[in-house]
Amino acid sequence: GEDVEQSLFLSVREGDSSVINCTYTDSSSTYLYWYKQEPGAGLQLLTYIFSNMDMKQDQRLTVLLNKKDKHLSLRIADTQTGDSAIYFCALDSNYQLIWGAGTKLIIKP
Amino acid sequence: NAGVTQTPKFQVLKTGQSMTLQCAQDMNHEYMSWYRQDPGMGLRLIHYSVGAGITDQGEVPNGYNVSRSTTEDFPLRLLSAAPSQTSVYFCASSYVTGGNTEAFFGQGTRLTVV
């Protein structure tokens, strides 16, 4: 079945850019998603990209998709303490979402 | 807007006890699902439903039952709690439009089985 992999942790300094990476095995997904989970809360959709795009920018967020390498990334510019959360990559497959394990973003002052 | 409401927020059970986690959504979404979240393992799908009266098993269904008698409600039943079911449980509802699936999550239930 589909496999979605992410690193478990990423540590960055406040003000730097954060790049969270995700690799996957099944290339048939139409949409690829990034969800954010703040401490003690459920997940919320952060952004998504359509599979025929290679980049999407939304304010401080940039999503890059490399379909050849099956690699999705989320770049957060000027990382702030409020960005501290777990970020999940997800792909759609037959109306279900297949999830990565989540990357915990740790912000150092 | 209430969105997805899960209750309770916290629960402690003794091994062998049964209980029901409640989930309700007010967005008229057809698709609902239950996940468990364990450290380093992300979200694992327990059961899901594509509409009232229709349920199916996900990746880790053993020890759990679900029913979907209405579009709004999707309760998860633990039949005989085991320590391995200690986890954080999330209910989600979602809609699909133009192939785009957006999921809305409840706040989660932190369950400890002792």
Side-chain angles (χ1 to χ4, degrees), chain A residues 14-48:
Chain A
E14 191 175 358
D16 287 352
S17 291
S18 307
V19 180
I20 302 169
N21 294 304
C22 173
T23 58
Y24 55 94
T25 54
D26 182 357
S27 56
S28 64
S29 296
T30 306
Y31 288 89
L32 300 95
Y33 305 87
W34 285 104
Y35 278 76
K36 179 181 180 182
Q37 183 184 31
E38 294 183 351
L43 283 70
Q44 285 191 299
L45 180 64
L46 194 59
T47 187
Y48 65 90

Side-chain angles (χ1 to χ4, degrees), chain A residues 51-77:
Chain A
S51 59
N52 72 352
M53 298 169 67
D54 51 23
M55 187 181 89
K56 179 179 179 181
Q57 186 140 10
D58 183 2
Q59 298 182 330
R60 291 192 297 123
L61 305 178
T62 304
V63 180
L64 295 176
L65 176 60
N66 182 329
K67 288 193 75 174
K68 175 175 165 290
D69 294 339
K70 298 182 184 176
H71 183 266
L72 179 73
S73 68
L74 174 70
R75 178 177 180 270
I76 305 172

Side-chain angles (χ1 to χ4, degrees), chain A residues 8 30-31 33 35 37 40-43 45 48 86 88 92 95-97 99-101, chain B residues 9 31 35 37 40-43 45 48 90 96 98-103 105-107:
Chain A
L8 291 184
T30 306
Y31 288 89
Y33 305 87
Y35 278 76
Q37 183 184 31
L43 283 70
L45 180 64
Y48 65 90
I86 302 175
F88 289 87
D92 67 45
Y95 303 120
Q96 291 193 35
L97 290 172
W99 299 89
Chain B
K9 207 165 166 62
Y31 194 96
Y35 294 91
Q37 183 181 21
M41 301 184 78
L43 295 174
L45 183 65
Y48 67 97
F90 287 98
V96 179
N100 185 355
T101 303
E102 181 171 355
F105 283 81
Q107 291 292 300

